Amino acid sequence: MNGVAIFLGILMGGSLGVGVAFLIFGSLLNRSNNHGDSVGENSRYTGGIAYSAQLDKKLHKAESQSEFLNTYYVPLQSDPVFRTPSARVVRKMPTPQAPVAQAQTAPQVSPVAVATAATGFPSSTAFPTAPAAQAVQATQAATVQAAQNYQAAQAYQAAQTAPVAPAAPTQQDYENYQHLSD
Amino acid sequence: MATLCKNCGHALVFDPSIQKVRCYQCGSTFFAEEVESESKKYVQDKKAISMAQVYGQDVAGAAKEYLDCYIYTCSECGGEVMITGTEVSTKCVYCGNPTVVFSRISKEECPEFIIPFAITREQALACINKEIGHGLFVPDAVKHFTPESVHGIYIPYWIVDADRSEAAIIRKKTSNGKNTTITYHGRAGRMRLKNLPVDACTMLSDESSTRLEPYDFSKMVLFDEDYLLGFYSNSSDLTYGFLTQAVDKRACQMFDETMMKSVKGGGTKTVINYRGSTAIDPDVKYALLPVWFVTFDYEDKHNTILVNGQTGKVVCGLPIRKVLFYTLLTITCIALVILFSVLFYHIIYAMMSSYARSKPRRSSSSSNNSSGKIVVGLIAAGVVMAIAGVKKIKNVIAKLKLTQSSQTFNFTKKRQE
């Protein structure tokens, strides 16, 4: 019994003694030799996160996790903040480059509204499962359609505003010309 | 070129203690906005010429460390002023006059804002002495160091507003003795970032510049080149690609930290999967922020201490008195191990004795279990504390490496005195 007590005493005392000593001296050294080791606090730059979804259950499976990401990330992306014109260039930068990858040019139908309308789920804390996938598909389809419409409109507008250049003669023109000259 | 005093013609220098430009010859003081250099219009198009153009490829090639240098002519004495690729203001090595390279802050690259130095050179040194003077493990030679150079440098920053949107899965791991519970939490949302400073000078490490924060942006004023007089400064050399990367990284970090706090309860929390993006507002502000760089040598190594030129915050990792530290650590370790071992021996012995006495009367499998849990818990606590202590020691060593990094030293050293 005595031997067991000694063994356990050394084991517990050793681990705790070494742990406490390292913690004390690590803190002392940090206070003594490391200065200014703090970055700007988050609260200085942000008022916090506006959550659109918080879910603490039903996320054990990989599929449900990826479904959660897809369901709630897409509506966030469609927010007007992420739809600034592609010509966004920060002024005076040494090398103006491509804008933020997420910037969208196309006007979009609000996928949140589409998702809500299609599923009946609000875009907040509830976690939709199967119907949400349909909502996402509907959202994506609506977004793609809107983008296509926008591109078509842009092309039409460009065609209208572009200076009119003489069109190259076609085969039909040539034949007409031949006919007339005959 | 220098801006000259209206009264005596001597070069003006910005004095942080009175927030005005001062003539040290006649004592006149002026607000920076009041002073307009007469010769600015004649020299603002005058550009620095690369060293290779002036001395030829051979000389430039021979002195590799000066390859990024340019030659600028001092408008006061005609002397050659050597500057690096992004320097905006410096001092002429011959006449000592403050020199501003106007072509580098011409209209298209002109900073919009500046936080003028509020801490003087003497105050910066006093801040350092106050901060490091009481360090138990700081060598005496470092406590009473003689600065090799003290440079006040305006660092270019981009002040960014941005939106971060992210959906993430957080894994929380909680241990309770033998049992480990893992739970998964989903979070999605958006975060608005205001006035996030991003260091726009690639020569200075982001880690150093981030630690200089916070700056008080309410004290930011419209840029005027007269604030640069008597100080060194650099212009931005950060491309838009790097800016977006830097903002994205910082925003992601801030978002994750805040998000993990929303998951209630203790345990180890990790973001295991996420989808996110950061959109930067178009109206990015370009500002110059003040930093004092104080260099000194210790055991043949260059050390650079940084001081926030507005708040006086000192940023450095200092050399360690290793013999003292490791000796004290070892002695304390041994003493605590003996103390705890004896203490636990007596506790365990007493517990076992009482258990042996009470054994014939009652079955105590639950008591055994709880004792086992206590033993395992105490050992685990010891290990956790030891790991935390080692992490702190490693952190100090990492910050010391940053203070002794050649990158920071070269950034401040390659300037004309």
Side-chain angles (χ1 to χ4, degrees):
Chain A
M1 191 169 71
N2 199 19
V4 176
I6 290 171
F7 173 74
L8 284 175
I10 290 173
L11 192 70
M12 287 164 71
S15 67
L16 210 61
V18 170
V20 170
F22 267 87
L23 191 64
I24 290 170
F25 276 84
S27 304
L28 280 176
L29 185 69
N30 198 37
R31 185 174 284 192
S32 159
N33 287 46
N34 187 16
H35 299 278
D37 192 16
S38 62
V39 296
E41 287 173 18
N42 292 0
S43 57
R44 281 191 158 268
Y45 308 115
T46 175
I49 301 171
Y51 289 102
S52 61
Q54 296 190 57
L55 192 72
D56 295 321
K57 289 175 185 172
K58 298 178 188 174
L59 286 171
H60 285 272
K61 290 178 184 172
E63 300 84 48
S64 57
Q65 290 175 6
S66 62
E67 200 174 347
F68 176 87
L69 295 181
N70 292 333
T71 308
Y72 289 108
Y73 180 64
V74 174
L76 284 170
Q77 276 299 94
S78 66
D79 195 279
V81 173
F82 297 91
R83 288 195 284 121
T84 44
S86 62
R88 166 192 279 175
V89 176
V90 175
R91 61 207 153 110
K92 296 177 209 157
M93 294 300 286
T95 320
Q97 292 189 359
V100 181
Q102 295 78 29
Q104 307 274 326
T105 54
Q108 293 181 357
V109 177
S110 168
V112 183
V114 173
T116 310
T119 63
F121 279 105
S123 63
S124 58
T125 51
F127 176 53
T129 50
Q134 293 168 8
V136 171
Q137 284 173 3
T139 301
Q140 287 167 346
T143 310
V144 169
Q145 185 59 50
Q148 286 171 353
N149 292 345
Y150 179 75
Q151 281 170 2
Q154 286 287 81
Y156 176 76
Q157 199 175 5
Q160 291 296 311
T161 53
V164 180
T170 60
Q171 183 63 31
Q172 187 63 45
D173 292 337
Y174 181 73
E175 284 171 9
N176 291 344
Y177 174 74
Q178 289 289 335
H179 175 71
L180 286 171
S181 57
D182 288 340
Chain B
M1 54 140 283
T3 302
L4 305 179
C5 175
K6 292 173 189 172
N7 300 328
C8 69
H10 198 262
L12 292 170
V13 172
F14 182 75
D15 185 349
S17 61
I18 54 168
Q19 292 291 301
K20 288 179 179 178
V21 282
R22 178 196 283 272
C23 173
Y24 282 92
Q25 188 70 18
C26 69
S28 306
T29 57
F30 308 93
F31 284 105
E33 302 81 28
E34 289 174 1
V35 185
E36 186 58 45
S37 172
E38 289 293 318
S39 52
K40 179 182 171 182
K41 57 184 174 228
Y42 301 114
V43 294
Q44 64 183 355
D45 296 327
K46 197 171 167 185
K47 290 184 178 172
I49 307 162
S50 76
M51 195 170 178
Q53 273 179 285
V54 179
Y55 294 112
Q57 292 292 343
D58 294 341
V59 176
K64 279 185 180 173
E65 68 270 32
Y66 292 116
L67 263 181
D68 57 345
C69 280
Y70 289 80
I71 305 292
Y72 185 77
T73 310
C74 173
S75 59
E76 304 310 312
C77 71
E80 284 182 347
V81 179
M82 201 182 287
I83 51 174
T84 60
T86 57
E87 268 183 273
V88 170
S89 62
T90 184
K91 288 174 188 168
C92 174
V93 72
Y94 301 105
C95 66
N97 277 325
T99 304
V100 177
V101 186
F102 278 105
S103 62
R104 294 232 171 116
I105 47 167
S106 55
K107 283 167 193 164
E108 68 272 17
E109 275 187 51
C110 182
E112 292 157 278
F113 299 99
I114 186 167
I115 295 180
F117 271 92
I119 302 283
T120 61
R121 176 196 154 103
E122 289 71 30
Q123 284 171 332
L125 290 172
C127 286
I128 295 170
N129 285 330
K130 188 183 166 191
E131 194 78 20
I132 70 174
H134 306 294
L136 178 63
F137 300 112
V138 180
D140 287 338
V142 174
K143 279 182 189 170
H144 309 291
F145 75 97
T146 310
E148 194 190 331
S149 68
V150 183
H151 287 139
I153 304 175
Y154 281 106
I155 306 293
Y157 272 81
W158 293 99
I159 314 294
V160 177
D161 291 348
D163 276 284
R164 171 81 186 167
S165 81
E166 188 176 314
I169 306 291
I170 302 159
R171 184 180 61 196
K172 190 175 86 171
K173 198 173 171 184
T174 34
S175 294
N176 180 19
K178 290 174 186 173
N179 302 324
T180 304
T181 316
I182 294 174
T183 52
Y184 296 91
H185 307 264
R187 293 287 182 275
R190 223 176 83 193
M191 186 169 76
R192 177 84 182 141
L193 294 159
K194 289 281 284 180
N195 287 338
L196 184 72
V198 180
D199 160 29
C201 192
T202 53
M203 283 190 282
L204 186 65
S205 76
D206 285 349
E207 202 177 345
S208 298
S209 58
T210 313
R211 290 170 76 209
L212 283 163
E213 294 172 23
Y215 283 95
D216 181 4
F217 290 108
S218 65
K219 302 275 166 57
M220 199 155 68
V221 295
L222 286 173
F223 176 77
D224 190 300
E225 57 270 10
D226 293 322
Y227 288 114
L228 305 182
L229 296 172
F231 295 97
Y232 301 88
S233 57
N234 282 60
S235 60
S236 166
D237 58 351
L238 192 76
T239 61
Y240 187 63
F242 280 116
L243 176 74
T244 51
Q245 271 178 27
V247 174
D248 191 63
K249 188 179 166 191
R250 187 92 189 267
C252 182
Q253 200 180 341
M254 289 167 83
F255 195 100
D256 290 353
E257 278 173 18
T258 315
M259 190 170 53
M260 280 195 273
K261 281 180 192 165
S262 75
V263 176
K264 289 172 187 168
T268 316
K269 297 165 196 170
T270 323
V271 175
I272 54 163
N273 199 359
Y274 76 97
R275 286 186 71 189
S277 56
T278 310
I280 300 173
D281 283 11
D283 58 337
V284 177
K285 300 176 199 81
Y286 179 19
L288 296 182
L289 307 187
V291 183
W292 284 103
F293 288 76
V294 180
T295 60
F296 68 94
D297 284 354
Y298 178 72
E299 289 183 345
D300 298 330
K301 282 185 178 165
H302 304 301
N303 294 265
T304 310
I305 299 175
L306 276 60
V307 182
N308 182 319
Q310 186 192 30
T311 62
K313 181 186 177 186
V314 177
V315 173
C316 63
L318 295 168
I320 303 163
R321 290 169 78 177
K322 284 180 188 167
V323 177
L324 178 70
F325 177 72
Y326 288 114
T327 308
L328 283 178
L329 177 65
T330 312
I331 291 169
T332 313
C333 257
I334 293 167
L336 285 175
V337 166
I338 292 169
L339 182 77
F340 281 124
S341 298
V342 171
L343 188 73
F344 284 123
Y345 163 73
H346 284 293
I347 292 169
I348 293 163
Y349 190 79
M351 281 172 71
M352 289 174 87
S353 301
S354 72
Y355 170 70
R357 279 197 299 274
S358 63
K359 196 179 178 185
R361 273 175 277 166
R362 61 185 169 89
S363 161
S364 58
S365 61
S366 64
S367 162
N368 263 348
N369 271 345
S370 62
S371 303
K373 277 181 184 173
I374 290 168
V375 171
V376 172
L378 280 171
I379 293 170
V383 172
V384 168
M385 281 193 280
I387 290 169
V390 169
K391 269 187 184 172
K392 280 177 189 279
I393 295 168
K394 275 187 174 176
N395 181 42
V396 174
I397 292 167
K399 296 304 178 300
L400 173 63
K401 279 183 183 167
L402 203 63
T403 299
Q404 294 180 336
S405 83
S406 54
Q407 191 190 11
T408 315
F409 181 75
N410 288 336
F411 177 74
T412 177
K413 196 65 189 167
K414 274 187 176 179
R415 290 169 200 269
Q416 298 207 152
E417 299 283 349

